Amino acid sequence: MFLSLKSIELSGFKSFGKKTELVFTSPIAAIVGPNGSGKSNVAEGFRFVLGEQSMKSLRSKRGEDLIWGGSPALPRMNRAGVKVVFDNSKRLLDLDFKEVVVERVVYRDGQNEYLLNGTVVRLKDVIRLLAGANIGGSGYQIISQGEADRILNARPRERREMVEDALGLKLYQHKKAESERKLEDARNNIEKTKSLRREIAPHLNFLRTQVERIEKAREMKEELAVKLNEYLAREHAWITQEDARLRQEEQVQVNELKELTESVSRSRSTTASAGQSTLRELQGTLSEREGKLSEARRESEKLGRELGRAEGALAANTVTVEQIVPVPHVRQFTRELSEVIGEAERESDVHTIKSKLAHIRGRIKAFVEGLSGFAPETNEEVRQQVERLTKSLDRVQEEEKALAGELEALRKEIAKTREAGFAAERDLLALESHVREAQGKLSSVRAARSAIQSLRQRFEEEVREGIALIGEAVHGWEKSHVPEGALHEDDRTKQEKRRREIERLKIKIEESGIGGGDAVIKEFNQTKEREQFLGKELADLESSVEKLEDIIAELEKTIDARFTEGLKHINEALRSFFSKLFGGGYVKLEVEQPKRAARSKIGEEDEGDEWEEREEEDLYAGLSIDVSLPRKKIRGLDVLSGGERALTSIALIFSFVAVNPPPFLILDETDAALDEANSKRYADMIRELGAKSQLIVITHNRATMSAAGELYGVTMGQDGVSKLLSVKLEEAEQVAK
Ligand code: ATP
């Protein structure tokens, strides 16, 4: 027969202070030896290496208790290790190796280490691997000493679990538990995700409103860019045109003013100098001629008088000097002279003074000539004198007339010159008024230029503000052509309207608080992505909840179906073993009415109190045993004797093994309570089972020993170390003592 369990090696485990190996070559191996030699330690070695977590099941309190404690002969060890070797040529275990070595080591600090073919793995990897081969975990694969009737003592619910284990449903139970754990995790995650979404929702809404506002502001900015570009293009064209026009106009005005100013100064100087000197010259000539005229008049008067006297003398025929120069005449002469001198003294003009002096000289000469005259000797002389005087008088009067005409002409000339001066002054005034006018024009052109300068400054300020609001887009105006009508004065009113509209738009944008817009949009997108991610996660979780619920339902169905089917087979096998052992009677495992299991304490007592909520499993049907012995009226487990209980337990264990044979089974003194007749029946059943499962039986019973194909003896010497030796059946009983 194929043996899946090849060997077990114990080193430092409990009483096996030295490395000891058991190699299995027969389907049934028996381990024999005296009490306390270490046989049960071998069975516990199996429990240990297959992943047993209950210290109580290993008859210990701590991990340290499992390590060889030392004796005077052999010092204690720091680790206990057990190794089992499986023949995996038939792929009993789901690993691609012909041989699989499972090893467990415990250290004094309680640390455990699990290895598969020498590689460190997790406990659950070992458990899963073995469970796949219907090894480990079950309460019946290794039946410890005195533990055979555990199934009888168990509560209906635990009993059901043992049967489920025996039927190999543990794997499904594991899967179901795992799925339930996942389901719970998924449900918790759904709650967490929902709560995260609820937390995010108000923030997301807030951000959405912000983003809508930002978007609106962006639209307004785009509108502003279009309007601003048009406005700036118009403004720039207007400013450039006006600036050039006014610059030119200013130049024209400056030139005109310069010309006018020059004309004024020219006119001023010519009018003043030329006009006045001509007038002065004319007035000089006038007074000179006036002097001459009065001299001529005096001459004329004198000649007149002399003529009168000469004519008188001619008439009287005798004329004296006294008669000729009378005293009043001298007085008259002196008065005239002093008058002219006085005039000359008051006069400042040199020409006039000179002419006065000449006049004075003439008068004196004439007077003296009059004094040096002599009395005419004859009337002829007098008549000649009269004649001469008449001629002189005529000449003087002629001269006088000419002078009067000259004076008249001079006066006219003076009046004309004066008039010309006045006209020049009027012209000057007119020029000056033109200058003022030109100055006025120039200053208004300059005012207009400074207004254009202000417009330019405002334009630059508007460009700067535009950059602050819409960035580089503001420069769009530079590329656009000059809009129609921009250069017409009429456009200025419309342009002002545009400006006001732009200002209103700017205020709206500023009020919208667009600052940090990008950061808000980024946060909104991130939050939205997070929300969508959570939404997707929620959908995934909900779908995995559905799938898990389906899996669990499917597993429950499978477990239920297999359980019902398996229980039927177990009951059949049980009945057969039972009647073999008792020679009749009746036994049956029965599913109880489902009971409400509120809170049930499960798990291992030595690992502390472990409570598990089983609310979703509130209905649970346990297993009861209905037993009735042949020839006995009373039914039920409670009335069985110790031996009867042992036999019933054995029938139960063997029925489990028969229905779902594990690769190997370890029975530690399960036959201890049997009498001779039952020991034989037990041995028969062992042989029967041995055909299906590899058996390792620890026994003191010869009948059982005889069923085994190989025998190992365990002894313990003075050093307290368990030793192992292969023995023959004949020696075995001896060794067992
Ligand atoms: P029985 O036939 O009476 O059931 P057994 O052969 O099954 O006996 P075990 O119970 O396997 O005997 O062995 C018990 C022995 O192992 C005891 O003598 C005990 O002192 C020894 N032992 C247990 N743990 C250790 C340990 N950590 N270090 C050394 N010896 C130990």
Side-chain angles (χ1 to χ4, degrees):
M1 185 201 153
F2 173 76
L3 298 179
S4 54
L5 191 61
K6 286 174 91 173
S7 64
I8 181 166
E9 183 192 280
L10 306 114
S11 69
F13 184 77
K14 289 206 164 185
S15 56
F16 290 89
K18 287 180 183 160
K19 192 188 278 183
T20 309
E21 190 184 24
L22 267 89
V23 179
F24 303 107
T25 53
S26 167
I28 302 170
I31 298 173
V32 300
N35 291 139
S37 63
K39 301 184 297 296
S40 293
N41 290 344
V42 176
E44 271 155 21
F46 275 107
R47 271 194 194 282
F48 173 74
V49 75
L50 298 183
E52 179 63 69
Q53 293 302 297
S54 159
M55 280 294 136
K56 196 180 169 196
S57 297
L58 298 171
R59 289 184 299 162
S60 300
K61 284 202 170 85
R62 305 174 302 257
E64 203 177 4
D65 298 340
L66 301 172
I67 304 171
W68 163 249
S71 70
L74 186 68
R76 68 174 206 162
M77 293 182 81
N78 287 327
R79 71 195 280 284
V82 179
K83 214 192 258 186
V84 281
V85 181
F86 289 99
D87 183 343
N88 201 35
S89 53
K90 292 192 174 171
R91 293 291 177 272
L92 170 73
L93 301 169
D94 188 19
L95 277 182
D96 203 13
F97 291 99
K98 278 190 165 175
E99 194 175 85
V100 175
V101 182
V102 181
E103 186 179 358
R104 177 177 175 183
V105 179
V106 65
Y107 296 91
R108 284 212 174 268
D109 61 1
Q111 287 287 315
N112 281 273
E113 205 171 77
Y114 300 87
L115 298 102
L116 281 177
N117 282 359
T119 305
V120 176
V121 292
R122 294 167 303 177
L123 166 64
K124 70 176 180 186
D125 298 326
V126 177
I127 290 191
R128 201 170 290 163
L129 180 74
L130 296 174
N134 196 21
I135 302 171
S138 76
Y140 74 94
Q141 178 154 26
I142 301 168
I143 308 295
S144 295
Q145 207 173 344
E147 208 202 24
D149 64 350
R150 190 161 65 93
I151 190 157
L152 298 186
N153 296 332
R155 287 195 292 266
R157 180 186 173 135
E158 289 167 346
R159 195 177 291 136
R160 179 178 175 133
E161 282 170 5
M162 286 160 89
V163 170
E164 282 175 352
D165 277 358
L167 288 171
L169 299 181
K170 193 87 182 170
L171 198 66
Y172 297 98
Q173 296 285 20
H174 270 307
K175 282 185 184 163
K176 188 183 158 198
E178 208 166 295
S179 300
E180 280 170 345
R181 230 182 357 261
K182 282 184 189 163
L183 183 65
E184 202 186 329
D185 285 351
R187 283 182 176 147
N188 286 341
N189 285 338
I190 284 176
E191 275 319 303
K192 272 187 208 155
T193 312
K194 279 183 178 169
S195 119
L196 278 175
R197 279 183 103 190
R198 275 196 299 275
E199 270 172 37
I200 285 177
H203 187 53
L204 188 65
N205 285 340
F206 167 75
L207 286 172
R208 186 173 285 120
T209 332
Q210 289 289 97
V211 167
E212 276 165 11
R213 281 179 60 194
I214 289 163
E215 236 116 71
K216 206 168 163 220
R218 285 205 168 152
E219 278 167 25
M220 286 196 285
K221 275 184 168 190
E222 277 163 23
E223 190 188 340
L224 178 66
V226 172
K227 289 195 165 151
L228 203 53
N229 283 346
E230 191 197 342
Y231 167 81
L232 289 173
R234 281 175 187 276
E235 199 68 0
H236 187 260
W238 172 258
I239 289 169
T240 313
Q241 171 193 262
E242 282 304 282
D243 194 36
R245 184 180 68 75
L246 289 168
R247 198 189 292 262
Q248 208 179 359
E249 203 167 305
E250 186 185 24
Q251 198 51 52
V252 169
Q253 290 303 326
V254 165
N255 290 344
E256 197 179 316
L257 186 62
K258 195 178 162 214
E259 268 173 36
L260 281 168
T261 319
E262 277 168 10
S263 302
V264 164
S265 61
R266 235 181 358 255
S267 165
R268 261 189 199 136
S269 63
T270 51
T271 315
S273 60
Q276 272 182 10
S277 68
T278 315
L279 201 60
R280 246 193 328 269
E281 228 171 82
L282 285 170
Q283 276 172 339
T285 315
L286 181 70
S287 65
E288 188 235 338
R289 295 290 188 276
E290 276 172 347
K292 276 187 180 166
L293 181 61
S294 53
E295 200 180 317
R297 276 185 184 148
R298 272 188 303 274
E299 183 71 14
S300 158
E301 279 170 19
K302 189 190 100 180
L303 287 171
R305 275 189 306 274
E306 280 176 10
L307 184 60
R309 264 191 316 272
E311 282 174 339
L314 191 60
N317 224 2
T318 49
V319 179
T320 64
V321 171
E322 284 83 14
Q323 282 176 310
I324 295 167
V325 188
V327 174
H329 182 68
V330 175
R331 280 198 198 110
Q332 169 71 21
F333 169 71
T334 320
R335 208 165 39 242
E336 271 180 28
L337 213 58
S338 92
E339 252 175 47
V340 178
I341 288 167
E343 275 174 27
E345 279 171 350
R346 283 192 298 279
E347 190 57 66
S348 58
D349 188 51
V350 179
H351 296 286
T352 318
I353 295 170
K354 273 184 181 172
S355 82
K356 299 262 181 217
L357 285 173
H359 176 69
I360 292 167
R361 182 181 285 148
R363 284 294 292 145
I364 293 170
K365 197 177 162 209
F367 186 76
V368 172
E369 276 173 5
L371 280 184
S372 62
F374 49 85
E377 286 177 8
T378 65
N379 283 340
E380 185 55 32
E381 280 178 356
V382 175
R383 198 192 44 81
Q384 282 176 356
Q385 194 180 8
V386 168
E387 221 171 271
R388 202 180 58 240
L389 281 172
T390 305
K391 274 183 186 168
S392 292
L393 186 60
D394 285 348
R395 185 186 46 81
V396 169
Q397 277 176 341
E398 225 20 67
E399 195 181 334
E400 202 177 328
K401 208 173 152 189
L403 278 169
E406 216 175 314
L407 273 175
E408 180 61 29
L410 273 171
R411 280 198 190 95
K412 274 186 184 159
E413 182 69 12
I414 284 171
K416 210 175 126 194
T417 309
R418 279 214 177 106
E419 188 48 45
F422 291 150
E425 264 172 32
R426 273 200 302 278
D427 286 350
L428 185 60
L429 281 175
L431 267 178
E432 281 172 345
S433 128
H434 282 140
V435 166
R436 279 194 297 281
E437 206 176 300
Q439 278 171 336
K441 273 187 190 170
L442 183 61
S443 57
S444 65
V445 168
R446 283 188 171 149
R449 276 203 74 191
S450 107
I452 285 293
Q453 263 335 96
S454 308
L455 271 190
R456 193 185 287 284
Q457 277 168 9
R458 191 179 74 182
F459 172 84
E460 282 160 5
E461 183 59 29
E462 279 164 347
V463 170
R464 274 197 293 279
E465 275 180 23
I467 289 173
L469 275 176
I470 59 171
E472 291 306 304
V474 88
H475 294 300
W477 71 269
E478 291 166 2
K479 287 164 216 127
S480 57
H481 65 283
V482 178
E484 209 173 312
L487 303 176
H488 291 291
E489 184 69 45
D490 298 354
D491 191 53
R492 298 309 292 162
T493 338
K494 289 180 199 156
Q495 183 74 338
E496 187 53 30
K497 250 189 190 168
R498 286 183 200 110
R499 201 178 68 78
R500 280 202 297 273
E501 207 178 316
I502 284 167
E503 286 308 313
R504 279 198 293 275
L505 206 50
K506 278 183 189 171
I507 290 167
K508 271 193 199 167
I509 290 169
E510 271 160 13
E511 278 175 356
S512 74
I514 194 163
D518 285 348
V520 173
I521 289 173
K522 196 175 162 198
E523 197 185 341
F524 171 69
N525 286 335
Q526 282 171 348
T527 315
K528 199 167 79 183
E529 268 171 36
R530 172 119 181 89
E531 211 277 338
Q532 283 167 349
F533 170 78
L534 288 174
K536 197 178 161 291
E537 185 137 291
L538 197 60
D540 288 351
L541 283 167
E542 276 162 354
S543 117
S544 70
V545 161
E546 247 173 62
K547 276 184 203 145
L548 284 165
E549 281 170 348
D550 286 351
I551 289 170
I552 291 166
E554 196 57 40
L555 281 168
E556 277 172 353
K557 239 162 89 182
T558 310
I559 291 169
D560 255 19
R562 291 201 177 201
F563 179 76
T564 313
E565 182 67 13
L567 190 63
K568 206 175 102 195
H569 293 306
I570 285 174
N571 273 328
E572 283 164 14
L574 178 62
R575 226 182 355 260
S576 154
F577 285 121
F578 189 80
S579 65
K580 264 184 205 160
L581 286 168
F582 287 101
Y586 172 84
V587 66
K588 194 181 178 192
L589 283 167
E590 275 174 347
V591 180
E592 288 183 332
Q593 278 300 307
K595 278 185 188 156
R596 185 165 293 275
R599 273 182 139 190
S600 63
K601 193 180 173 188
I602 61 149
E604 302 300 334
E605 283 160 32
D606 58 340
E607 284 184 349
D609 286 350
E610 193 181 311
W611 291 88
E612 189 177 311
E613 292 288 343
R614 286 192 177 262
E615 272 160 19
E616 66 269 30
E617 274 186 52
D618 50 0
L619 286 180
Y620 197 92
L623 277 182
S624 61
I625 302 175
D626 187 13
V627 58
S628 115
L629 296 181
R631 299 172 297 280
K632 292 196 176 166
K633 277 189 184 165
I634 311 167
R635 294 166 75 123
L637 286 176
D638 298 339
V639 296
L640 297 180
S641 74
E644 286 165 351
R645 284 182 76 86
L647 289 170
T648 311
S649 304
I650 288 165
L652 272 166
I653 290 164
F654 285 9
S655 68
F656 293 170
V657 174
V659 169
N660 187 28
F664 63 92
L665 177 68
I666 295 158
L667 300 166
D668 187 358
E669 297 187 37
T670 314
D671 54 1
L674 305 187
D675 58 22
E676 211 177 326
N678 278 326
S679 291
K680 282 203 176 95
R681 289 185 195 121
Y682 178 80
D684 289 343
M685 288 193 299
I686 289 283
R687 282 191 195 90
E688 200 180 311
L689 281 183
K692 291 178 179 172
S693 290
Q694 188 178 347
L695 296 180
I696 295 152
V697 290
I698 296 168
T699 186
H700 289 289
N701 200 315
R702 190 180 153 76
T704 312
M705 287 180 209
S706 65
E710 61 184 335
L711 289 160
Y712 281 104
V714 181
T715 57
M716 186 183 275
Q718 288 306 307
D719 56 2
V721 180
S722 297
K723 286 178 200 67
L724 205 71
L725 57 150
S726 191
V727 290
K728 300 227 158 35
L729 181 61
E730 301 76 53
E731 304 164 329
E733 264 183 301
Q734 198 55 39
V735 170
K737 285 175 190 163

